[in-house]
Amino acid sequence: MKFYSDFAAQRSRQITVDVLAIAFMAAWIWLGVFVHSLVIGLTDFGVQMEQAGAGFRETMTDVGENLGGVPLIGGGIRGPFDNASVAGATLEAAGASQQVAVQNLALGLGLGIAVLPVLAILVLWLVPRLRFARRAATARRLVSAGAGLDLLALRALTTQRLTTLGAIDADPMAAWRRGDEAVMRSLAALELKSSGVRLT
């Protein structure tokens, strides 16, 4: 496939647009990663909450078990510590849930910031570039086949501006009908130039 024009000015524009598109995509991806890392830092609070809840739960459970072994009063004293242990477990679960929520938010924001602009750039940049490559490859095949000169000249008559056609010949259609080789080569070259292919 032919990705760049044979003409220096058009090729320079294509290379510039390619570099800018890649730079913009890299910038959006970097921004998505940066936002993800920024938001994911909020999980520290959830980690601390989970650790505090786990520590409190373990302490209350240990105290309850130790006091539960005291004869006569152990069963009555253990109840409040068991309740406190449940509260610690609730705090621990809330910390874990907060971490999951923040991780999901960080992933969603990071992907949203990076993927949507990159997809838009790909649609606006890559699709026309691939269309150009396909059109240039087709034009090159027609020229190399030898039978495409007449077809390219006819296409130029239908797609190019009248002022551009008038610069080639006063009546380019009549010249095409009579098979004027010079006019047909000029028309074909004009059409090929819009495809980025130089007529050799």
Side-chain angles (χ1 to χ4, degrees):
M1 286 193 97
K2 181 178 179 59
F3 288 101
Y4 293 103
S5 172
D6 290 337
F7 302 94
Q10 189 178 20
R11 185 172 54 244
S12 297
R13 284 194 304 273
Q14 289 173 329
I15 291 171
T16 301
V17 169
D18 288 355
V19 169
L20 287 173
I22 291 168
F24 279 129
M25 286 192 293
W28 280 110
I29 291 170
W30 175 85
L31 185 60
V33 170
F34 175 73
V35 168
H36 177 272
S37 64
L38 202 63
V39 174
I40 206 74
L42 298 175
T43 57
D44 291 346
F45 176 71
V47 170
Q48 292 170 1
M49 189 189 312
E50 184 179 11
Q51 290 171 348
F56 186 72
R57 175 184 52 78
E58 288 171 8
T59 301
M60 292 299 108
T61 301
D62 291 344
V63 170
E65 287 175 357
N66 290 336
L67 291 177
V70 174
L72 300 175
I73 60 167
I77 291 177
R78 182 173 182 168
F81 290 102
D82 287 344
N83 291 339
S85 176
V86 170
T90 303
L91 183 63
E92 182 182 5
S97 297
Q98 190 268 353
Q99 291 173 65
V100 170
V102 169
Q103 287 167 358
N104 290 338
L105 177 65
L107 183 64
L109 283 174
L111 286 176
I113 287 172
V115 170
L116 295 177
V118 167
L119 286 177
I121 290 170
L122 286 175
V123 168
L124 295 174
W125 162 69
L126 190 59
V127 171
R129 292 291 287 121
L130 292 175
R131 192 177 297 133
F132 167 84
R134 191 179 66 190
R135 183 177 172 191
T138 302
R140 189 175 288 280
R141 265 196 318 272
L142 286 173
V143 170
S144 62
L149 196 64
D150 188 34
L151 180 61
L152 288 167
L154 179 60
R155 182 166 170 79
L157 287 170
T158 60
T159 61
Q160 301 295 325
R161 292 185 181 142
L162 292 176
T163 54
T164 308
L165 295 173
I168 292 174
D169 191 85
D171 189 356
M173 190 64 169
W176 176 80
R177 282 192 186 119
R178 68 176 177 268
D180 188 320
E181 185 71 24
V183 172
M184 290 208 337
R185 282 186 68 81
S186 296
L187 290 170
L190 188 64
E191 182 60 25
L192 286 172
K193 185 173 183 180
S194 65
S195 300
V197 176
R198 191 183 298 277
L199 182 59
T200 55

